[in-house]
């Protein structure tokens, strides 16, 4: 396999990109800026305009993108979207050539990543799962954390491209391991979010000045990214995303499904998912994750 | 009141100290190093030896300490200990002189802090609640975060002494507000701990290399003090405290009791408290809070 791949790694010139949301636009833009030829597909062609203006070439389907490419990247929405992009009638796997590599950077299920990798291998191609964290700012500044699953030789071949998008790139293990690592990330965030939001609910109920509370607690053992970055937004009544509640519910659902499959219980994550679902039911689905505070307050006060 | 206090604030020369655990020893040591006369009481006299060697004078009871002092500090164990130290037959309130100040630095219930403040006021004296965070290292290096409740003039009078012990001193509001702020701190920590420990349980079940997972997730939106400082201890099998599970259960119990009293629900904290109680029942009560991981793994695997 390494032999088969080596030529690819020295000749990655044609890149494919599927999915041009906020993240994809920035990430693909870095590859174009580096001088790569990129063919692009996304569900709504108008959303690819910025990339086409930069010299990307439009392709009519994921299959067509794959057909044109040594390495195809995808970053789309939900697991069913990923499934359609790869396994659909006009999907990546119909176009992926022997020796080529597909890289799904969507946060999706580890099991689906394994399915894709198996299917790619079955046709003499390769697949990596490479979800990211760092948000729109990380994407724009090419400082993403990229968590990669798949064969090491394939990871090494694609690494120069990852370096154009990310600042912290770690090969986590075999197919699916990138997605699993991303789930670990989201599980920690779920804990920090419930802690931060309940703390702010408590502070309000106790009649404290929450700004002073943050002054006392932000630098010590309670420190977390969410406390520093999202608690001040809560206090300002700023519930814009950031990271959207409905997307976070998707991620937590994946982690819980995998946990069930692996036979482990994650009671904390389970609770946080349920509360976020209540937040979504209350109309906060398209707000940022910090809007958990509003749902908790509503639930708390009863 | 300010008039009554002003003389005290200019004449704090005699200090009392009650409680010489790991925290109290360091904190009182800083006051002695600054040249203050300190009388000391603690339940087990031998534990005060280091302070007596530094020039502190032994007193036979909290009452005797208070009788000798312009400002009396206490940092003991659980709320019933605080109650005994203040309201007992040989308690601080029996000895506290008019115009003097008591400062309880134990993490205890906000309601109890209000009771103490009311009782002190009833005899022409003053009380502050001033719990800390920052642990033994913060105490040793005089870098504690000190969260203070009580009248502002009293806070200002004692501030020079707080500065000898802490690096981040915030007046949170009236009596009990210091304790409430500390509860906010503990509520966030409860969230980070469940997130970090469940994440590590998931990583192990998924067959990931947890060190690589930490490499990917420690610097981004999942960052928290617990992830950076306690997750590596979990991976090394180091479950020594740090901060003891049974003490954390005490703190969470106080926060939940106050929440009930204030009519709010904290479902996340409630769950984390229950899991920590299971951890204690499994024999981890005197381990560090990171031993939640072991209890979760046991519960998870079933």
């Amino acid at each position: 396999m390494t032999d088969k791949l080596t030529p690819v790694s020295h000749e990655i010139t044609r890149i494919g990109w599927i999915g041009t949301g906020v993240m994809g636009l920035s990430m693909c833009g870095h590859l174009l800026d580096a001088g790569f030829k990129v063919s692009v597909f996304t569900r709504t062609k108008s959303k690819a305009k910025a990339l086409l203006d930069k010299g990307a070439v439009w392709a009519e389907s994921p299959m067509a993108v794959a057909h044109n490419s040594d390495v195809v990247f995808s970053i789309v929405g939900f697991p069913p979207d990923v499934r359609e992009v790869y396994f659909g009638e006009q999907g990546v796997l119909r176009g992926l050539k022997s020796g080529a590599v597909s890289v799904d950077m969507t946060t999706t299920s580890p099991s689906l990543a394994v399915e894709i990798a198996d299917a790619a291998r079955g046709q003499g191609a390769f697949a990596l799962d490479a979800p990211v964290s760092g948000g729109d700012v990380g994407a724009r500044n090419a400082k993403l954390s990229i968590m990669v699953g798949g064969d090491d030789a394939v990871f090494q071949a694609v690494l120069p491209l990852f370096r154009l998008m990310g600042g912290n790139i770690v090969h986590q293990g075999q197919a699916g391991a990138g997605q699993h690592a991303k789930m670990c990330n989201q599980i920690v965030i779920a804990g920090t979010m419930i802690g931060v939001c309940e703390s702010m609910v408590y502070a309000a109920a106790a009649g404290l000045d929450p700004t002073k509370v943050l002054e006392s607690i932000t630098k010590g053992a309670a420190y977390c990214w969410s406390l520093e970055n999202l608690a001040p937004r809560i206090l300002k009544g700023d519930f814009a995303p950031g990271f959207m509640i409905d997307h976070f519910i998707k991620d937590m659902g994946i982690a819980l499904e995998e946990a069930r499959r692996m036979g482990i219980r994650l009671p904390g994550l389970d609770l946080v998912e349920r509360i976020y679902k209540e937040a979504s039911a209350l109309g906060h689905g398209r707000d940022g994750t910090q809007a958990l505070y509003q749902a908790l307050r509503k639930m708390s006060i009863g």
Side-chain angles (χ1 to χ4, degrees), chain A:
Chain A
M1 194 202 67
T2 308
D3 290 341
K4 263 177 123 176
L5 192 74
T6 310
V8 172
S9 70
H10 288 279
E11 294 171 15
I12 295 175
T13 51
R14 297 180 312 157
I15 290 175
W17 196 276
I18 298 162
T20 57
V22 177
M23 300 294 289
L25 272 183
S26 290
M27 293 157 78
C28 180
H30 296 310
L31 300 178
L32 284 163
D33 292 344
F36 285 99
K37 289 179 184 166
V38 181
S39 55
V40 179
F41 171 81
T42 198
R43 215 151 42 182
T44 309
K45 186 174 176 179
S46 61
K47 292 196 177 169
K49 186 171 183 304
L51 297 175
L52 300 177
D53 289 350
K54 272 193 175 188
V57 174
W58 179 253
E60 287 299 334
S61 68
M63 177 174 73
V65 169
H67 190 76
N68 293 341
S69 305
D70 305 314
V71 180
V72 188
F73 294 92
S74 57
I75 182 160
V76 295
F78 288 72
D81 305 318
V82 174
R83 187 172 288 283
E84 178 64 23
V85 160
Y86 280 84
F87 294 99
E89 266 184 38
Q90 302 283 310
V92 166
L93 289 162
R94 294 282 176 103
L96 199 65
K97 293 173 299 180
S98 175
V101 182
S102 71
V103 185
D104 185 28
M105 304 187 81
T106 319
T107 295
T108 184
S109 99
S111 307
L112 179 52
V114 171
E115 265 186 76
I116 294 171
D118 288 346
R121 192 177 300 114
Q123 57 192 69
F126 308 101
L128 299 175
D129 49 294
V132 301
S133 82
D136 53 346
V137 176
R140 208 159 46 236
N141 301 332
K143 292 287 180 202
L144 292 168
S145 169
I146 308 180
M147 295 155 257
V148 189
D151 295 320
D152 188 53
V154 184
F155 169 72
Q156 296 298 340
V158 179
L159 187 54
L161 301 180
F162 286 141
R163 289 213 174 105
L164 297 171
M165 301 183 256
N168 183 23
I169 301 147
V170 181
H171 183 217
Q172 290 288 345
Q174 286 304 303
Q179 297 296 347
H180 275 309
K182 179 68 189 280
M183 291 302 122
C184 291
N185 191 71
Q186 304 306 73
I187 294 167
V188 178
I189 290 176
T192 66
M193 288 309 303
I194 189 84
V196 166
C197 292
E198 288 194 357
S199 174
M200 292 297 99
V201 167
Y202 182 103
L208 298 175
D209 175 343
T211 307
K212 285 190 185 167
V213 173
L214 292 182
E215 207 182 318
S216 277
I217 75 176
T218 298
K219 284 177 188 162
Y223 179 82
C224 49
W225 187 94
S226 303
L227 191 66
E228 182 172 27
N229 292 279
L230 299 182
R233 292 194 206 169
I234 291 170
L235 303 188
K236 277 186 284 186
D238 172 5
F239 296 104
F243 191 60
M244 233 182 258
I245 281 182
D246 281 346
H247 289 165
F248 195 43
I249 290 173
K250 170 198 77 164
D251 295 355
M252 290 187 285
I254 292 169
L256 286 165
E257 189 188 316
E258 291 290 321
R260 274 187 292 275
R261 200 183 54 71
M262 301 189 294
I264 59 167
R265 287 179 55 223
L266 302 174
L269 184 65
D270 197 65
L271 175 73
V272 178
E273 188 215 29
R274 273 186 284 131
I275 302 176
Y276 266 110
K277 281 183 171 171
E278 291 193 49
S280 185
L282 288 167
H284 297 296
R286 300 185 69 80
D287 288 343
T289 48
Q290 72 274 23
L292 180 67
Y293 171 78
Q294 293 176 296
L296 272 173
R297 260 207 107 165
K298 199 167 286 179
M299 291 162 58
S300 257
I301 292 162

